[in-house]
Amino acid sequence: MRILSLILLVILLSCKNDANENSTVAADLQKESNIELDLTVYDFEGLKPYLKTMTDSVYVVNFWATWCAPCIKEMPYFEAINKKYKNKGVKVTLVSLDFPRKYESHLKPFIKKNKLTSEVVVLNDPDSNSWIPEINPDWSGAIPATLIFSKDNRAFYEQPFTFEELEAELLKFIN
């Protein structure tokens, strides 16, 4: 009987420690998810510096939104490019075209949930008829759309990418 009581006591104490550890982990996760995320919001004039360079870097600028299924599908590929090439002079910028009323409910949670490491900026300029042709005169305004450029070369893609396709286009700029 004593052995059974001792075993029961050990099991109860183990469960209590696991519960304390689990609640600590849950509290840490809750704190992490409550971290404030500041978004940088630009009109087109503010975004212009992201679209030209005189440096030796290569820039990958992706126009996307959380409501765009093909944009969401290709997002991991941009993150992989950022991770693989950031130390090779490549800078990835994700330009969100989400609606202002969706920043708190959709955009910020998406950035946190997916732990995006690429720079995310927001373009909030309702006069798209004026800025779309400045990015590319042939752009219909559909997303996803991507601009890859260096100081000597520029290419625009109004399409979704696979990782292999995106990397192949990028390599044209760094090889």
Side-chain angles (χ1 to χ4, degrees):
M1 185 71 170
R2 282 186 187 191
I3 293 176
L4 187 56
S5 297
L6 184 60
I7 292 172
L8 186 58
L9 180 63
V10 168
I11 291 172
L12 287 173
L13 289 174
S14 299
C15 292
K16 183 178 180 191
N17 287 339
D18 285 348
N20 286 342
E21 286 177 27
N22 287 341
S23 64
T24 301
V25 169
D28 289 345
L29 287 173
Q30 181 66 29
K31 284 179 191 172
E32 185 177 304
S33 68
N34 287 335
I35 293 172
E36 187 59 33
L37 176 65
D38 292 326
L39 292 175
T40 306
V41 181
Y42 294 107
D43 62 6
F44 185 68
E45 285 303 311
L47 186 70
K48 277 184 176 180
Y50 284 89
L51 306 175
K52 293 186 183 324
T53 188
M54 295 311 292
T55 71
D56 291 329
S57 295
V58 174
Y59 293 83
V60 178
V61 179
N62 178 252
F63 294 87
W64 69 288
T66 58
W67 46 261
C68 167
C71 300
I72 300 308
K73 184 177 179 183
E74 73 176 0
M75 189 61 62
Y77 313 139
F78 286 92
E79 284 294 284
I81 289 291
N82 183 49
K83 183 177 182 180
K84 186 173 180 179
Y85 292 97
K86 70 180 174 184
N87 293 328
K88 296 177 182 172
V90 174
K91 177 147 176 58
V92 175
T93 303
L94 307 171
V95 179
S96 170
L97 299 177
D98 278 273
F99 302 111
R101 68 180 183 278
K102 299 292 186 176
Y103 295 169
E104 296 299 323
S105 63
H106 288 78
L107 182 56
K108 285 182 177 183
F110 179 86
I111 293 167
K112 287 178 188 178
K113 177 183 174 194
N114 293 283
K115 298 181 172 113
L116 299 183
T117 58
S118 301
E119 182 176 13
V120 178
V121 298
V122 179
L123 176 58
N124 180 17
D125 191 326
D127 190 11
S128 58
N129 289 330
S130 68
W131 59 261
I132 285 175
E134 283 197 53
I135 293 170
N136 186 281
D138 297 324
W139 186 14
S140 73
I143 56 174
T146 303
L147 177 63
I148 301 176
F149 65 95
S150 63
K151 66 181 175 185
D152 300 321
N153 200 2
R154 187 175 200 86
F156 182 78
Y157 311 87
E158 188 173 0
Q159 68 181 59
F161 282 106
T162 65
F163 176 79
E164 294 75 18
E165 292 167 338
L166 181 58
E167 185 174 45
E169 292 304 318
L170 175 63
L171 290 176
K172 293 176 183 177
F173 286 81
I174 57 178
N175 285 337

